[in-house]
Amino acid sequence: MDTVSTETSGRTLIVTIERPQARNAVDGPTARALYDAFKAFDADEALDVAILQGRDGAFCAGADLKGVAEGRGNPVHRDGDLGPMGVTRLSLGKPVIAAVEGHAVAGGLEVACWCDLRVAAEGAVFGVFCRRWGVPLIDLGTVRLPRLIGASRAMDLILTGRPVSAEEAHVIGLANYLAPKGGALDKALEIAGRLSAFPQLCMRNDRRSAIGQWALDWDQATAAEIALGMETLRSGQSQEGAARFAAGEGRGGAF
């Protein structure tokens, strides 16, 4: 049975981890299937946004330790863009939203941090639960988590492995949006629809600059932003948007 499924809703791709019997833990084959699904999404011009979720009330419990014990372990390489959890070293040109129901822990937390935005449903739980088993954060959790929520809060989670509720995740900036229990996907689809309605080149280039600046000093980051901004301006997209504004769109703060 396929452990990853995909479906489309307009210009949004919904990717679902289909291993509810293991709380959607990811083994080696599932990691590869996630990687392939998101590579295909990035190359598909008919799609603007992707949503990642888990089946039946759990986002992802991390790497499948039973799979490791049975020889279905996750790939760990120093080079390349295939991460142990499949997608965590993959750089995409379009945004991904995590729709989190239930547990997003250990490697599942790292996958959620890889996404651009996170919707947490009531009852969702985040945490570095792999702390108990001596399994390291090797899907860029020690890199992304401090950048998302700050060094002090990230160190608390990394050292203690304690559970973090949806409400606390929202307060500390780990979750961008809250939703009622069972409503994470609907909220993510709402957000995806808004993102898809924007001029895409401009949004994608601004996203690309915001992600890329972490590896650059100030002058390099400034130059990269200008280069991407000029690409957007040369496309005519900004002029077209300005013409729509001049014709009356967006008055009074209408979005």
Side-chain angles (χ1 to χ4, degrees):
M1 185 175 68
D2 290 341
T3 59
V4 173
S5 68
T6 61
E7 61 180 304
T8 58
S9 176
R11 295 186 64 84
T12 298
L13 178 72
I14 303 168
V15 180
T16 305
I17 305 173
E18 300 280 3
R19 302 191 74 224
Q21 75 283 1
R23 290 203 297 182
N24 297 311
V26 172
D27 61 5
T30 306
R32 183 73 208 200
L34 283 170
Y35 175 88
D36 290 343
F38 280 98
K39 287 282 282 189
F41 157 70
D42 208 37
D44 192 336
E45 295 183 359
L47 297 169
D48 296 328
V49 184
I51 295 170
L52 177 60
Q53 65 170 356
R55 180 65 67 194
D56 291 346
F59 180 74
C60 177
D64 185 351
L65 299 185
K66 290 183 180 179
V68 173
E70 296 169 0
R72 293 180 287 105
N74 302 45
V76 181
H77 308 292
R78 291 188 63 179
D79 302 316
D81 58 3
L82 175 60
M85 293 292 292
V87 296
T88 48
R89 298 179 188 172
L90 188 58
S91 296
L92 302 183
K94 298 181 281 191
V96 180
I97 304 169
V100 180
E101 302 274 356
H103 284 72
V105 297
L109 172 63
E110 294 181 287
V111 171
C113 289
W114 169 76
C115 297
D116 295 273
L117 299 172
R118 285 152 294 283
V119 177
E122 180 184 359
V125 177
F126 301 85
V128 186
F129 282 18
C130 52
R131 181 59 55 237
R132 297 170 292 170
W133 314 117
V135 177
L137 294 173
I138 201 168
D139 281 271
L140 298 177
T142 64
V143 178
R144 289 194 175 105
L145 197 57
R147 293 180 178 185
L148 285 173
I149 65 174
S152 179
R153 284 172 168 151
M155 195 62 73
D156 174 25
L157 272 59
I158 290 168
L159 293 181
T160 68
R162 68 177 179 84
V164 176
S165 68
E167 293 74 19
E168 182 183 356
H170 189 243
V171 168
I172 66 177
L174 181 54
N176 302 93
Y177 300 90
L178 294 175
K181 189 177 181 65
L185 177 59
D186 286 343
K187 183 64 176 179
L189 283 167
E190 174 193 328
I191 298 164
R194 294 205 304 265
L195 299 188
S196 189
F198 292 140
Q200 289 299 296
L201 179 63
C202 181
M203 184 184 71
R204 292 175 190 178
N205 277 350
D206 284 354
R207 172 185 177 272
R208 182 177 165 190
S209 179
I211 292 172
Q213 60 85 25
W214 288 107
L216 305 174
D217 64 28
W218 181 266
D219 290 341
Q220 292 170 328
T222 300
E225 183 191 78
I226 292 171
L228 288 166
M230 290 301 296
E231 178 185 337
T232 300
L233 292 172
R234 284 193 297 268
S235 74
Q237 194 169 88
S238 301
Q239 185 176 6
E240 189 273 336
R244 286 192 288 112
F245 175 80
E249 283 192 36
R251 296 302 165 85
F255 213 71

